[in-house]
């Protein structure tokens, strides 16, 4: 650029010199004067440009990076410079500031989140607009634009303490609620919005404590409104809730005795029969603000009728749809008394009870899972029962069952297309959105049992893991690259099956599966491999590319090495306030698939 400018200046100067000599020897004409003036002006401009280029300290290029690329470069620099012992890695969509407020809206590769430096959590739950976690002390923190009430692109904040002193161990989040399970088996519910958590002036301590309240005496008065959800039928002596799982509008809860309960979150909780029952009752709207008082409260009977029963011709063409089939009003879906009571399901006290599922009374369950509108339980003898929405075959009942809603718990057959000598037993179940996965053990008695991952449901973005894109799969199929794997065990000196440690399914269609490749590695063994597949429109698979992947693929680091999750004894673990909780704590990394994003955080080992 400098050489070109010099040539221009020399050329213009020579031209001006020649023109000057001509003007000194003969009379100037008006047209010649104008030409000389233009050339002189050009010479001055070119000389000024040359001086600015030589003396300016700031160079602007035509291909200068935009703000998003600069933020990505900042994230990469943070990855290289992070010196925290415990680092939480995040990637994918960050439009609602779920991953961190200073990171870009799309994070292409795993990047440290400074919110969680040297922090180990008990649990982490992600939703589309908000998120929540439980720190080492058992306190609940919430954040995200949906929680703070900010519009996309406006101001936002760091995680805020909302529920404290309850010794929480597990979280489940929906669009409007946050459910928390304590170590003692109590289930609490909070609003997902900060504006709805404020206690009214003069309000009593929330309903989990005696109505007269004693928090003021010890300086621990609650600042956030919450409620406790209790079983409709009294539990046995020593029985408590040990697991919760929430879908879009309903929640399941499992007790230590193997009993299964369901809870309606909204009036749409049984739209596809996912509750497992239709009749229940809720507090009368006029009495919602006084549920903490000891007197008897009026209740409203509720009959949540699935849409397929209330309106069986909903998806029929107008030519064959009977004119009298359209429900007249809300009564067809929730009952006459409930419609007249004008129930408000946005209140966290809309429903305060858990109801045991009638069809599962006497069935001992040890694992529960929920999709967006479906429910699953695994019995102690390795059988699976499923019910709820089935438009994409997510219940897994096979191609002969074409019903869009299964309203009664029905056994899922997991041994189709296998020899009669092979014994199949379900080890674990996972669900999210419209995808379902079963971890099964197969054995024929002649060798070591193998572990398969069977998938069904909506695989439009490759979430089935069978190298195909299919928006409906009713017969469970084997996921490639994660089924039937073996490795040599240093302990038993023979081949052992590689078992999936955890599977996290995003409601938006991507999957993070952790293979327990550390168990049989022996002394000095590595960590656990992370395998990812499915939807990838916001870099949520962590490979730096956009484009769905239908085959399980091992996640890699930017250096091309296997991305592995480790377990270790941390020198110290801090809470979300930055204060040291304990030293010498055993922690392990855990992968979570959120709404178009992914997180790997450090979890306290139980």
């Amino acid at each position: 650029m400098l050489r070109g400018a010099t040539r221009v200046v020399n050329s213009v100067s020579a031209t001006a010199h020649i023109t000057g000599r001509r003007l000194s020897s003969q009379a100037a004409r008006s047209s010649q004067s104008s030409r000389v003036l233009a050339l002189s002006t050009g010479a001055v401009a070119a000389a000024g440009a040359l001086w600015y280029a030589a003396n300016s300290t700031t160079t602007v290029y035509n291909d200068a990076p935009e703000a998003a690329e600069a933020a990505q470069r900042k994230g990469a620099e943070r990855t290289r410079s992070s010196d925290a012992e415990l680092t939480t890695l995040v990637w994918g969509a960050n439009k609602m500031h779920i991953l961190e407020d200073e990171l870009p809206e799309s994070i292409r590769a795993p990047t440290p989140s400074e919110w969680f430096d040297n922090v180990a959590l008990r649990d982490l739950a992600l939703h589309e607009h908000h998120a929540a976690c439980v720190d080492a002390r058992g306190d609940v923190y919430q954040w995200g634009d949906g929680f703070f009430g900010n519009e996309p692109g406006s101001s936002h904040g760091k995680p805020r303490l909302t529920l404290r002193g309850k010794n929480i161990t597990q979280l489940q989040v929906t669009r409007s609620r946050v459910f928390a399970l304590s170590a003692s088996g109590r289930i609490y519910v909070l609003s997902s919005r900060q504006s709805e958590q404020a206690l009214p002036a003069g309000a009593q301590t929330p309903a989990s404590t005696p109505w007269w309240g004693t928090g003021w005496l010890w300086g621990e008065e609650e600042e956030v409104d919450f409620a406790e959800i209790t079983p409709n039928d009294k539990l046995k002596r020593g029985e408590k809730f040990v697991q919760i799982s929430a879908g879009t509008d309903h929640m399941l809860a499992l007790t230590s005795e193997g009993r299964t309960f369901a809870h309606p979150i909204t009036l749409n909780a049984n739209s596809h029969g996912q509750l497992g029952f239709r009749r229940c009752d809720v507090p009368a709207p006029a009495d919602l603000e006084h549920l903490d008082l000891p007197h008897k409260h009026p209740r409203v009977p509720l009959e949540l009728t699935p849409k397929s029963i209330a309106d069986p011709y909903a998806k029929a063409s107008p030519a064959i749809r009977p004119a009298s089939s359209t429900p007249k009003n809300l009564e067809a879906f929730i009952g006459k008394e409930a419609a007249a009571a004008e129930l408000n399901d946005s209140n966290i006290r809309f429903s305060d009870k858990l109801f045991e599922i009638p069809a599962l009374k006497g069935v001992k369950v040890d694992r529960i899972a929920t999709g967006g509108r479906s429910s699953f339980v695994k019995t102690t003898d390795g059988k699976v029962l499923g019910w709820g929405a089935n438009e994409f075959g997510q219940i897994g009942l096979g191609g002969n069952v074409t019903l869009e809603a299964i309203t009664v718990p029905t056994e899922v057959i997991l041994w189709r297309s296998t020899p009669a000598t092979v014994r199949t037993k379900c080890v674990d179940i996972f669900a999210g959105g419209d995808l379902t996965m079963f971890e099964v053990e197969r054995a024929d008695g002649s060798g070591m049992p193998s572990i398969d991952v069977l998938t069904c449901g909506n695989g439009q973005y490759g979430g089935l893991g069978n190298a195909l894109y299919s928006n409906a799969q009713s017969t469970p199929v084997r996921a490639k690259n994660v089924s039937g794997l073996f490795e040599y065990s240093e302990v038993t000196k023979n081949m052992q099956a590689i078992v999936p440690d955890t599977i996290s399914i995003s409601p938006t269609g991507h999957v993070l599966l952790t293979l327990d490749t550390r168990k049989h590695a022996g002394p000095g063994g590595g960590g656990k491999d992370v395998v990812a597949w499915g939807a990838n429109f916001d870099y949520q698979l962590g490979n730096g590319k956009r484009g769905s992947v239908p085959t399980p693929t091992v996640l890699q680091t930017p250096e091309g090495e296997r991305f592995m999750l480790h377990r270790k004894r941390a020198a110290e673990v801090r809470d979300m306030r930055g204060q040291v909780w304990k030293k010498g704590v055993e922690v392990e990394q855990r992968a979570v698939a959120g709404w178009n994003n992914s997180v790997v955080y450090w979890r306290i080992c139980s």
Side-chain angles (χ1 to χ4, degrees):
M1 180 182 72
L2 294 180
R3 290 180 180 177
T6 303
R7 288 198 298 266
V8 172
V9 173
N10 291 338
S11 177
V12 174
S13 300
T15 305
H17 181 67
I18 295 173
T19 306
R21 287 190 301 174
R22 288 179 179 178
L23 288 175
S24 62
S25 61
Q26 56 182 320
R29 296 179 181 179
S30 59
S31 60
Q32 293 175 338
S33 300
S34 300
R35 187 180 298 108
V36 171
L37 180 60
L39 291 173
S40 300
T41 303
V44 173
L50 179 62
W51 178 88
Y52 181 80
N55 294 276
S56 177
T57 58
T58 303
T59 303
V60 179
Y61 299 95
N62 290 334
D63 58 346
E66 298 180 355
E69 296 182 8
Q72 291 285 357
R73 189 168 61 250
K74 178 182 178 182
E77 295 174 354
R78 182 188 295 185
T79 302
R80 293 191 295 268
S81 62
S82 178
D83 56 356
E85 181 188 8
L86 303 180
T87 302
T88 294
L89 301 176
V90 299
W91 63 92
N94 191 36
K95 299 179 180 65
M96 304 302 293
H97 303 102
I98 301 298
L99 306 181
E100 195 187 307
D101 53 356
E102 294 185 358
L103 290 176
E105 292 187 354
S106 291
I107 306 172
R108 297 184 180 182
T111 303
S113 174
E114 294 180 350
W115 282 351
F116 303 98
D117 281 351
N118 294 318
V119 172
L121 304 174
R122 295 188 180 185
D123 199 9
L124 173 68
L126 306 175
H127 201 267
E128 182 179 11
H129 299 99
H130 66 98
C133 72
V134 185
D135 71 352
R137 300 185 187 276
D139 296 333
V140 177
Y141 288 77
Q142 296 176 245
W143 68 92
D145 287 357
F147 171 70
F148 291 109
N150 301 329
E151 294 297 329
S154 61
S155 60
H156 32 267
K158 294 182 178 180
R160 179 178 181 270
L161 174 63
T162 53
L163 185 63
R164 61 180 180 180
K166 304 300 180 185
N167 198 16
I168 301 301
T169 59
Q170 185 184 351
L171 286 179
Q172 291 288 292
V173 295
T174 67
R175 178 173 294 274
S176 61
R177 309 278 205 280
V178 174
F179 295 93
L181 175 66
S182 72
S184 61
R186 292 175 177 265
I187 300 176
Y188 304 97
V189 57
L190 304 90
S191 174
S192 64
R193 302 177 183 86
Q194 184 181 22
S195 59
E196 298 177 2
Q197 291 183 350
L199 285 172
Q204 299 286 348
T205 301
S208 65
T209 58
W211 67 274
W212 54 86
T214 57
W216 60 272
L217 183 61
W218 309 104
E220 298 179 352
E221 194 71 19
E222 298 291 347
E223 299 177 356
V224 173
D225 189 25
F226 66 92
E228 182 180 357
I229 302 175
T230 58
N232 188 54
D233 299 324
K234 190 174 181 180
L235 300 181
K236 301 177 183 178
R237 183 177 181 86
E239 185 180 12
K240 65 177 183 178
F241 289 105
V242 294
Q243 185 191 354
I244 57 175
S245 180
T248 304
D249 297 289
H250 76 295
M251 182 184 70
L252 297 184
L254 178 66
T255 72
S256 55
E257 295 292 328
R259 300 165 64 192
T260 308
F261 290 73
H263 169 75
I265 300 176
T266 68
L267 291 173
N268 205 37
N270 203 39
S271 60
H272 293 76
Q274 60 265 44
L275 277 181
F277 55 83
R278 293 168 58 180
R279 292 182 176 87
C280 58
D281 54 37
V282 295
D287 202 51
L288 288 180
E289 303 300 329
H290 308 287
L291 290 179
D292 54 332
L293 298 178
H295 62 75
K296 188 175 181 180
H297 303 281
R299 303 186 69 84
V300 177
L302 190 63
E303 185 170 357
L304 299 174
T305 305
K307 293 180 180 179
S308 60
I309 297 177
D311 189 8
Y313 298 97
K315 295 186 177 181
S317 62
I320 62 175
R321 179 184 175 94
S324 60
S325 65
T326 305
K328 301 300 181 182
N329 46 44
L330 194 61
E331 294 180 8
F333 296 99
I334 66 174
K336 183 176 181 179
E337 294 185 49
E342 299 181 354
L343 299 174
N344 177 21
D345 59 3
S346 64
N347 193 306
I348 61 173
R349 295 177 176 83
F350 157 71
S351 177
D352 60 343
K353 297 292 183 181
L354 288 150
F355 303 90
E356 187 173 7
I357 299 176
L360 296 180
K361 288 185 177 180
V363 178
K364 194 170 181 61
V365 174
D366 61 2
R367 177 71 175 170
I368 58 175
T370 56
R373 299 157 300 144
S374 55
S375 304
F376 300 89
V377 297
K378 183 182 80 70
T379 64
T380 54
D381 57 354
K383 296 181 179 179
V384 176
L385 302 175
W387 65 100
N390 193 46
E391 312 104 310
F392 306 103
Q394 57 263 50
I395 303 298
L397 299 180
N400 294 330
V401 180
T402 58
L403 297 175
E404 295 184 354
I406 308 299
T407 59
V408 178
T410 306
E411 183 176 0
V412 180
I413 306 301
L414 299 174
W415 52 87
R416 288 188 176 91
S417 303
T418 60
T421 57
V422 175
R423 179 182 58 86
T424 300
K425 175 183 177 181
C426 184
V427 179
D428 211 340
I429 50 177
F430 305 90
D434 295 320
L435 269 174
T436 310
M437 298 192 180
F438 310 95
E439 178 186 334
V440 300
E441 178 186 86
R442 300 192 191 276
D444 59 3
S446 62
M448 296 302 300
S450 63
I451 299 295
D452 286 350
V453 176
L454 305 182
T455 64
C456 59
N458 187 356
Q460 180 179 0
Y461 304 111
L464 294 173
N466 62 343
L468 298 175
Y469 296 97
S470 173
N471 63 353
Q473 179 64 46
S474 56
T475 301
V477 294
R478 293 179 77 219
K480 294 180 178 293
N481 300 340
V482 293
S483 299
L485 302 180
F486 289 87
E487 67 177 349
Y488 183 78
S489 173
E490 295 289 347
V491 178
T492 60
K493 304 301 180 182
N494 62 357
M495 300 296 289
Q496 296 285 335
I498 300 178
V499 180
D501 186 44
T502 61
I503 302 177
S504 182
I505 306 174
S506 167
T508 53
H510 78 284
V511 183
L512 296 180
L513 183 148
T514 304
L515 286 173
D516 192 359
T517 50
R518 180 179 181 272
K519 182 177 181 180
H520 305 298
K528 302 175 181 179
D529 285 294
V530 179
V531 184
W533 71 93
N536 191 33
F537 301 112
D538 289 288
Y539 308 104
Q540 57 262 48
L541 294 187
N543 57 8
K545 303 176 182 178
R546 279 179 171 166
S548 300
V549 178
T551 305
T553 306
V554 175
L555 186 62
Q556 295 184 341
T557 65
E559 293 76 20
E561 299 178 355
R562 292 156 59 190
F563 187 100
M564 306 191 78
L565 306 185
H566 298 277
R567 178 170 180 160
K568 66 179 181 179
R569 185 175 296 276
E572 64 178 24
V573 170
R574 297 179 180 271
D575 60 16
M576 289 296 293
R577 294 182 177 181
Q579 300 176 353
V580 177
W581 174 63
K582 281 184 181 179
K583 296 184 178 181
V585 181
E586 196 76 17
V587 295
E588 64 179 355
Q589 288 180 297
R590 180 66 61 91
V592 176
W595 290 62
N596 295 323
N597 50 36
S598 304
V599 176
V600 171
Y601 71 98
W602 287 95
R603 181 187 179 100
I604 298 175
C605 298
S606 55

